[in-house]
Amino acid sequence: MADVVRPGKVDWTGDNPFIYLKTDPAGDWSALSLFFRVTASDFGPGSLVLTIEDPYDKRAEGADAPAPVRLALTDNEPLARFLIDGFVRRFVLFRPATAALDALELVGGAAFTTQGDGATMHTESARAEERGLSLAMTWEDLGTPFAVDVPGPQSGTGQHEMFSVFRTAGAAHVTVNDAVLPGSTVERDFLNGPAQSAALALSETWVRDGGAEVAQS
């Protein structure tokens, strides 16, 4: 039998859906949001949901302009910091968002719930009751699952081989403290062709080459 075991360190495995929104289809991204459900890592299992509005600090300043949302909720803070520093900061759309990520408010002790019928709608939500904070991501009109094996140079970190099953969404929205963030998904080039800028990423596994280092905090 051929060797079927992949060499390298499994940094984490789980789910990592995303929703990227624009208020102006021709402009910059207005909000970038990610969800992580990790089933195995050096930091144990746990979940993290985060959103950064105005990720590139392009919003015009004004006396009545509300501060952009830069919020993350988790039930495992060491794992959340590992994911943010070692992965989120390295993902292509987040690389220019250093200031927004530096301003990210990370709140622990959150409770997570999953809802949906697996076809027309899927929602991942988190609530930090003591702080009165909530964050939810909803995907609609889910597509047919397809599997990917992304080699290290092309993966989000450039240092991991990444395996996953994706289901693109026809539309999606993000809710923070019961208010829906402005903006919509837009069509862009994805792994298997044009798709909206939101998808479920399931059974995602990041395998690191032996010599690569991942940030830990």
Side-chain angles (χ1 to χ4, degrees):
M1 178 181 291
D3 187 0
V4 297
V5 176
R6 279 290 199 274
K9 169 76 164 59
V10 176
D11 274 326
W12 65 271
T13 185
D15 301 332
N16 184 206
F18 62 87
I19 297 174
Y20 303 146
L21 303 175
K22 288 188 176 185
T23 52
D24 175 2
D28 287 314
W29 298 101
S30 59
L32 304 176
S33 304
L34 294 170
F35 173 78
F36 294 84
R37 179 188 293 109
V38 172
T39 55
S41 77
D42 288 348
F43 298 86
S47 296
L48 164 69
V49 62
L50 67 86
T51 188
I52 51 174
E53 262 194 308
D54 189 23
Y56 312 133
D57 293 310
K58 299 289 188 178
R59 181 182 296 180
E61 296 183 1
D64 7 354
V69 176
R70 276 90 187 263
L71 178 64
L73 304 181
T74 186
D75 56 8
N76 181 335
E77 292 185 55
L79 172 63
R81 293 190 184 96
F82 169 69
L83 293 171
I84 292 167
D85 291 339
F87 292 86
V88 178
R89 289 182 183 272
R90 300 183 183 199
F91 293 167
V92 172
L93 295 184
F94 290 82
R95 291 174 194 168
T98 301
L101 288 169
D102 288 346
L104 189 67
E105 180 184 13
L106 178 61
V107 179
F112 288 79
T113 58
T114 301
Q115 295 175 297
D117 58 14
T120 61
M121 187 271 289
H122 183 93
T123 296
E124 298 288 355
S125 58
R127 184 172 294 274
E129 292 288 356
E130 291 188 3
R131 296 283 305 277
L133 298 171
S134 64
L135 208 167
M137 299 171 63
T138 297
W139 298 260
E140 301 172 359
D141 187 20
L142 299 173
T144 303
F146 64 94
V148 300
D149 175 1
V150 183
Q154 298 173 34
S155 75
T157 66
Q159 297 178 331
H160 295 78
E161 185 175 11
M162 190 275 284
F163 308 89
S164 189
V165 172
F166 283 95
R167 297 189 69 181
T168 56
H173 63 271
V174 178
T175 305
V176 179
N177 300 330
D178 300 322
V180 177
L181 293 185
S184 304
T185 59
V186 297
E187 188 175 277
R188 63 172 190 158
D189 289 333
F190 197 51
L191 294 166
N192 67 337
Q196 292 296 304
S197 54
L200 300 183
L202 310 172
S203 304
E204 193 164 283
T205 300
W206 293 78
V207 181
R208 173 168 37 111
D209 289 338
E213 294 292 335
V214 173
Q216 299 186 25
S217 53

